[in-house]
Amino acid sequence: MEDFYVTIPYGLVVLAGGVAGYLKRGSAASLAAGVGFGAALLLAGALSAWAFAHGGGGAGAVFGTVLQIVCAVVLTVVMGVRYVKTRKIMPAGIIAAISAIVLIFYVYKVSTGGNKVYIPVSAE
């Protein structure tokens, strides 16, 4: 499975969580973090998908990989610490758990060589 199949939904979940935090509690910090990290993850997923569709590799693919790993690490650590301090499963525990699972997937993808090269099937 290619990484953008995980990164794009993950980015949408983070983005939606930030918007939901703002709408429910009026938290501008939730909105800023959710939109910032969600947009960064969506960008990383788009770069990864673009690189995959165009034969893989390149600076865009490397930047997308680094960006998605950095976002997953930061969200895992920040929300994990917040969960430990507050013991509130929502949102800190959920986002920390999802981010940790996604981070494990990213480490697996990098350790196995990343996305495979896309070879289009010729239309005959």
Side-chain angles (χ1 to χ4, degrees), residues 38-63:
L41 287 163
L42 291 173
L43 172 65
L47 287 171
S48 178
W50 185 85
F52 177 75
H54 290 88
V62 172
F63 178 72

Side-chain angles (χ1 to χ4, degrees), residues 7 11 52 57 59 70 75 79 86 91-92 95 99 108 111 122:
T7 304
F52 177 75
V70 167
L75 286 171
M79 297 307 266
T86 65
I95 294 298
S99 297
Y108 165 76
S111 68
S122 62

Side-chain angles (χ1 to χ4, degrees), residues 2-8 10-11 37-52 56-73 102-103 105-107 109-110 114-115:
E2 312 311 329
D3 61 358
F4 53 87
Y5 289 125
V6 172
T7 304
I8 293 172
Y10 175 46
F37 280 105
L41 287 163
L42 291 173
L43 172 65
L47 287 171
S48 178
W50 185 85
F52 177 75
V62 172
F63 178 72
T65 301
V66 170
L67 183 60
Q68 62 196 13
I69 290 172
V70 167
C71 288
V73 166
V102 169
L103 180 60
F105 172 75
Y106 291 154
V107 169
K109 287 301 290 184
V110 169
N115 293 337

Side-chain angles (χ1 to χ4, degrees), residues 10 17 35 39-41 44 46 77 80 83-84 89-91 98 101-103 106 110 121:
Y10 175 46
V35 169
L41 287 163
V77 170
Y83 172 71
V84 168
I89 195 74
M90 195 62 184
I98 291 171
I101 291 167
V102 169
L103 180 60
Y106 291 154
V110 169
V121 177

